[in-house]
C-alpha cells in the first residue's frame, strides 16, 4: 500500500482523468473536504475573453490579443532554466526564460543562476521618487471553495508541494491562491475537472484558458484532455498558429505535443502548394512557416523556390554566408543577397515605402519576429566597436506590461554574440512599474569579454539621441547587464501620449559597445 501511495503522488494521471473513479460528488462539499481554498480575484485585463465579466466567450483572435500578457506572467512562476536567444539556433524560445533576479543597484547584472547578481561597483542608479510608489493591488472578490487536499495533491505536483512542504500553508486548514479576474472561470473549470475528470465547455477560447491554468498548476491530465477536445474541433489557420505558440513549460510540453502536431499537419496540408498561397504564407509567423517548409509533401518546382522565398528574411550575417556558399549559383545568390542587404541598409522611410508597395511587399514586409531586428554599424579601429539601433513600436511596448520582455536578434562584436532585451520591471522597493533595457552576451564557452557600453534614446522635441547610461562590464557567457528603469520615470509616464520618448509612435534605442581589452579565459 505504501508503494501505491508513493506512485500516486508522482503520477498526475492517477485516477480521475486517467479513467479511475469520479469524485464529482465531493467538489466544494464541506462533508468531504479537509481544507478551504481561498481564491482572491484581483484586476487583470478587463477586456480579456474568459473573464468573469463576459462568461468565457470571445473569439480565438480575442484570446490571442489578450493572453500574451498573462502567458508571460505564468512563465515567470516556473522554475525553468534561463535561455539566452541564440542567432545560430533559431529554435531557442526566449519566452521560456525565467525571470532574472537582479539586485537593487543599477546597472543590474543578470546571470543564469538564481542568486542575485552584482552590477559594476560604485555605479548607483537614479533615486526613487516616493510619489511614484503605488498601493498594492486591490482584491475584487474572494471565493472560498471546500477542497480535499488528497484529491488535489494526487492530480497536481503544485498542490502536493503546497500541502506537504512544511510551510505555513501546509499546516493551516486554509490555503490562498491569488488570480486575475480573467483566470477565474478557467480555474473553476480546472478544479471541477480534478474531481470529475470532465470539462463541460466546448468553447475553444475557454478551453485554451483552462489549458493555461492546467499548465500553471501542473495538472497534466487536464492539459491532455483540453488538447484532445481542441484537436477534435474544426481547425483554422488562426487556431493552428495559436496552438503552435502555446507557452507551456518544458516539463509540460509532452502533454500538448498531440495538439501542436495536429496544428502542424493542418498547416502543411493547407499550404502544401506554396506557390498558390505565397502571399498568404508571407504573413504567417515563423513557427507556422517552419511547419509548412518542414513537410515532405510540399509541392514546389524545386528547392530553389524555397530559397527565393526565404532569402529576404535572413539576417545580414546569414546573407553574407550565402555569398560564400559554393553550392549555390553565384550570380543568382549575389543578386538576391545584394538586394536584401541594400534594403536592410536603406533609410526607414524607404523601407516603409517598399513594404507598402504592392509589387515589393511580399519581399520586404516585416513580420512580428520573435527576436526584433536591429540595424548595426561596425568599426574595427581604433578599437572593435559597434552601434546597434533597436526600434520598438508603442504597441509592442504596451504589450510588455506588466512583466514581459522582448529580445533583439543577435549582433556580433569581435566574434562574440550580444543581444538587447527590453523589459517591463517592477522596482524592488515599491510597486512602481518601469521600462528597463539590458545588454546580454550569448553563451560561448568560458570566454570573458570586457565591454564599454552606452545606452541612448531619441528624445522629443529635438529628435536627437540622448545618452541615458554608460558603464563598463566584464561579460561571461549567459550574463547580461542593464537598468531596471532606463528613463527614471514610471511606466504610465513612459507610455503616455505625451511621452518624450515615442516619436511618431516609435521608441528609438541605441546601444554602443566598445572592446578595449582583449578577451580572456575565465
Amino acid at each position: 500500500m505504501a508503494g501505491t501511495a508513493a506512485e500516486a503522488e508522482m503520477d498526475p494521471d492517477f485516477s480521475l482523468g486517467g479513467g479511475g473513479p469520479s469524485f464529482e460528488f465531493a467538489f466544494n462539499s464541506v462533508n468531504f473536504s479537509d481544507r478551504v481554498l481561498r481564491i482572491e480575484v484581483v484586476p487583470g485585463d478587463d477586456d480579456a475573453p474568459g473573464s468573469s465579466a463576459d462568461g468565457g466567450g470571445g473569439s480565438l483572435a480575442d484570446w490571442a490579443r489578450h493572453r500574451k500578457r498573462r502567458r508571460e506572467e505564468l512563465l515567470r512562476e516556473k522554475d525553468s532554466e534561463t535561455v539566452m536567444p541564440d542567432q545560430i539556433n533559431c529554435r531557442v524560445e526566449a519566452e521560456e526564460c525565467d525571470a532574472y533576479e537582479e539586485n537593487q543597484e543599477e546597472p543590474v547584472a543578470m546571470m543564469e543562476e538564481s542568486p542575485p547578481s552584482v552590477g559594476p561597483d560604485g555605479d548607483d542608479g537614479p533615486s526613487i521618487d516616493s510619489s511614484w510608489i503605488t498601493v498594492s493591488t486591490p482584491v475584487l472578490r474572494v471565493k472560498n471553495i471546500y477542497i480535499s487536499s488528497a484529491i488535489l495533491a494526487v492530480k497536481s505536483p503544485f498542490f502536493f508541494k503546497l500541502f506537504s512542504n512544511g510551510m505555513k500553508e501546509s499546516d493551516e486548514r486554509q490555503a490562498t491562491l491569488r488570480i486575475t479576474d480573467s483566470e477565474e472561470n478557467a480555474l473553476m473549470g480546472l478544479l471541477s475537472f480534478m474531481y470529475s475528470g470532465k470539462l463541460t465547455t466546448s468553447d475553444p477560447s475557454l478551453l485554451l484558458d483552462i489549458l493555461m491554468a492546467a499548465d500553471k498548476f501542473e495538472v497534466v491530465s487536464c492539459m491532455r484532455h483540453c488538447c484532445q477536445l481542441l484537436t477534435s474541433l474544426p481547425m483554422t489557420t488562426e487556431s493552428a498558429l495559436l496552438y503552435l505558440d502555446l507557452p507551456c513549460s518544458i516539463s509540460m510540453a509532452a502533454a500538448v505535443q498531440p495538439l501542436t502536431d495536429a496544428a502542424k499537419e493542418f498547416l502543411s496540408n493547407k499550404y502544401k502548394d506554396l506557390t498558390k498561397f505565397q502571399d498568404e504564407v508571407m504573413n504567417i509567423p515563423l513557427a507556422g512557416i517552419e511547419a509548412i517548409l518542414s513537410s515532405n509533401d510540399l509541392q514546389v518546382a524545386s528547392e530553389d523556390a524555397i530559397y527565393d522565398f526565404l532569402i529576404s528574411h535572413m539576417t545580414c550575417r546569414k546573407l553574407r554566408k550565402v555569398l560564400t556558399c559554393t553550392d549555390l549559383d553565384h550570380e543568382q545568390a549575389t543578386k538576391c543577397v545584394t538586394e536584401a542587404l541594400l534594403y536592410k541598409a536603406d533609410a526607414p522611410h524607404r523601407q516603409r515605402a517598399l513594404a507598402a508597395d504592392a509589387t515589393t511587399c511580399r519581399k520586404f514586409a516585416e513580420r512580428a519576429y520573435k527576436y526584433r531586428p536591429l540595424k548595426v554599424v561596425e568599426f574595427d579601429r581604433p578599437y572593435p566597436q559597434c552601434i546597434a539601433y533597436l526600434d520598438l513600436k508603442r504597441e509592442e511596448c504596451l504589450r510588455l506590461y506588466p512583466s514581459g520582455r522582448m529580445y533583439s536578434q543577435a549582433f556580433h562584436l569581435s566574434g562574440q554574440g550580444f543581444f538587447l532585451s527590453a523589459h517591463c520591471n517592477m522596482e524592488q522597493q515599491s510597486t512602481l512599474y518601469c521600462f528597463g533595457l539590458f545588454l546580454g552576451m550569448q553563451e560561448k564557452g568560458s570566454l570573458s569579454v570586457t565591454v564599454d557600453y552606452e545606452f541612448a534614446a531619441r528624445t522629443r522635441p529635438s529628435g536627437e539621441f540622448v545618452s541615458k547610461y554608460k558603464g563598463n562590464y566584464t561579460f561571461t557567457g549567459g550574463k547580461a547587464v542593464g537598468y531596471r528603469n532606463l528613463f527614471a520615470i514610471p511606466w504610465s509616464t513612459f507610455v503616455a501620449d505625451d511621452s518624450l520618448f515615442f516619436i511618431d509612435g516609435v521608441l528609438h534605442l541605441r546601444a554602443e559597445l566598445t572592446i578595449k581589452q582583449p578577451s580572456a579565459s575565465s
Side-chain angles (χ1 to χ4, degrees):
M1 292 299 292
T4 303
E7 291 170 3
E9 292 170 0
M10 300 302 295
D11 184 6
D13 281 331
F14 183 79
S15 78
L16 307 185
S22 170
F23 298 102
E24 187 173 6
F25 66 89
F27 180 55
N28 201 18
S29 170
V30 66
N31 294 328
F32 298 98
S33 303
D34 62 338
R35 295 177 188 262
V36 174
L37 182 63
R38 174 184 169 90
I39 302 174
E40 297 181 351
V41 182
V42 298
D45 190 343
D46 294 335
D47 297 327
S51 68
S52 58
D54 63 21
S59 67
L60 286 174
D62 294 331
W63 194 96
R65 282 194 299 269
H66 295 291
R67 285 304 182 262
K68 181 177 178 62
R69 180 184 303 170
R70 184 153 60 84
R71 290 188 333 185
E72 292 161 346
E73 290 175 350
L74 300 183
L75 288 174
R76 288 185 67 211
E77 299 170 17
K78 298 293 181 181
D79 293 326
S80 57
E81 181 181 355
T82 299
V83 181
M84 295 299 176
D86 189 329
Q87 185 62 35
I88 298 175
N89 183 0
C90 62
R91 295 181 61 87
V92 172
E93 297 291 338
E95 292 176 345
E96 293 170 359
C97 295
D98 196 6
Y100 294 111
E101 297 186 26
E102 302 108 350
N103 62 7
Q104 297 177 7
E105 294 183 350
E106 296 182 301
V108 176
M110 305 185 300
M111 58 191 304
E112 290 183 287
E113 293 80 16
S114 58
S117 307
V118 179
D121 295 334
D123 192 350
D124 295 329
S127 61
I128 299 175
D129 187 338
S130 61
S131 64
W132 297 348
I133 299 177
T134 59
V135 297
S136 59
T137 305
V139 176
L140 297 178
R141 55 189 169 275
V142 173
K143 281 189 174 182
N144 290 315
I145 306 295
Y146 294 106
I147 59 168
S148 165
S149 57
I151 291 177
L152 296 191
V154 82
K155 294 298 294 179
S156 161
F158 173 91
F159 284 106
F160 178 81
K161 287 181 284 187
L162 181 67
F163 298 140
S164 62
N165 62 4
M167 297 177 65
K168 181 179 179 181
E169 292 84 350
S170 64
D171 297 327
E172 292 185 349
R173 188 171 182 272
Q174 177 176 285
T176 301
L177 292 180
R178 174 168 288 198
I179 61 172
T180 63
D181 54 352
S182 61
E183 297 177 291
E184 185 176 355
N185 286 342
L187 178 59
M188 296 307 297
L190 174 64
L191 292 174
S192 177
F193 174 87
M194 295 172 75
Y195 278 79
S196 66
K198 298 183 296 184
L199 292 174
T200 58
T201 183
S202 60
D203 178 72
S205 62
L206 183 53
L207 285 173
L208 282 168
D209 281 343
I210 296 174
L211 176 60
M212 294 297 96
D215 177 58
K216 178 177 181 178
F217 295 108
E218 304 177 68
V219 188
V220 176
S221 57
C222 187
M223 293 179 67
R224 289 173 178 160
H225 192 60
C226 288
C227 290
Q228 291 171 359
L229 294 177
L230 289 167
T231 304
S232 68
L233 296 175
M235 196 171 294
T236 64
T237 300
E238 177 187 66
S239 62
L241 292 173
L242 278 178
Y243 302 155
L244 288 181
D245 198 34
L246 289 175
C248 300
S249 62
I250 296 174
S251 61
M252 301 293 180
V256 298
Q257 191 65 46
L259 181 61
T260 55
D261 288 344
K264 291 178 181 179
E265 183 178 2
F266 171 85
L267 291 172
S268 61
N269 286 335
K270 180 175 180 179
Y271 297 106
K272 61 183 177 182
D273 188 350
L274 188 61
T275 56
K276 182 178 179 181
F277 297 101
Q278 191 160 353
D279 290 339
E280 185 176 345
V281 173
M282 290 297 292
N283 294 320
I284 290 178
L286 292 179
I289 290 179
E290 181 184 3
I292 295 168
L293 298 186
S294 62
S295 170
N296 291 331
D297 297 325
L298 199 62
Q299 297 175 356
V300 291
S302 69
E303 293 299 316
D304 294 349
I306 307 298
Y307 171 80
D308 292 337
F309 177 82
L310 291 175
I311 193 167
S312 61
H313 297 285
M314 292 182 183
T315 63
C316 293
R317 185 177 177 85
K318 291 295 183 184
L319 287 170
R320 294 189 185 102
K321 288 186 176 182
V322 170
L323 284 178
T324 61
C325 179
T326 59
D327 296 329
L328 300 173
D329 179 85
H330 182 71
E331 182 179 352
Q332 179 66 18
T334 301
K335 177 179 179 296
C336 293
V337 169
T338 301
E339 184 181 41
L341 288 173
L342 286 174
Y343 169 78
K344 293 177 183 295
D346 213 341
H349 72 276
R350 284 282 304 148
Q351 291 181 334
R352 291 192 293 269
L354 287 170
D357 191 321
T359 61
T360 57
C361 64
R362 181 179 61 81
K363 290 185 177 181
F364 299 121
E366 183 177 294
R367 284 194 289 267
Y369 294 106
K370 183 180 293 293
Y371 307 131
R372 295 296 300 148
L374 294 164
K375 281 194 172 182
V376 181
V377 181
E378 300 178 31
F379 304 93
D380 57 6
R381 296 178 182 176
Y383 304 105
Q385 183 183 47
C386 71
I387 304 174
Y389 297 89
L390 174 64
D391 293 346
L392 300 178
K393 298 177 182 177
R394 186 190 298 271
E395 309 85 73
E396 294 174 320
C397 292
L398 288 172
R399 288 196 293 268
L400 293 177
Y401 182 85
S403 56
R405 60 190 61 198
M406 183 183 303
Y407 295 92
S408 76
Q409 294 178 351
F411 59 98
H412 293 79
L413 179 62
S414 292
Q416 181 60 56
F418 294 88
F419 64 92
L420 296 174
S421 62
H423 298 204
C424 178
N425 303 292
M426 180 182 288
E427 288 281 7
Q428 291 187 335
Q429 296 179 342
S430 72
T431 54
L432 162 72
Y433 289 100
C434 49
F435 178 85
L437 184 65
F438 296 86
L439 171 68
M441 188 178 85
Q442 294 176 332
E443 188 168 2
K444 296 285 185 181
S446 59
L447 286 179
S448 64
V449 179
T450 300
V451 176
D452 293 339
Y453 64 90
E454 180 180 11
F455 294 152
R458 287 191 189 274
T459 306
R460 292 194 298 141
S462 68
E464 300 294 326
F465 277 101
V466 176
S467 176
K468 291 300 174 182
Y469 290 105
K470 61 174 62 177
N472 177 280
Y473 192 73
T474 299
F475 288 91
T476 56
K479 295 185 68 174
V481 66
Y483 298 86
R484 280 182 175 273
N485 193 346
L486 181 68
F487 301 115
I489 57 176
W491 180 267
S492 58
T493 305
F494 164 65
V495 297
D497 292 339
D498 59 351
S499 172
L500 297 178
F501 303 105
F502 287 94
I503 301 176
D504 295 328
V506 178
L507 173 67
H508 301 274
L509 300 172
R510 185 184 73 191
E512 183 175 327
L513 283 67
T514 306
I515 296 179
K516 295 183 179 180
Q517 300 179 24
S519 301
S521 298
S522 58

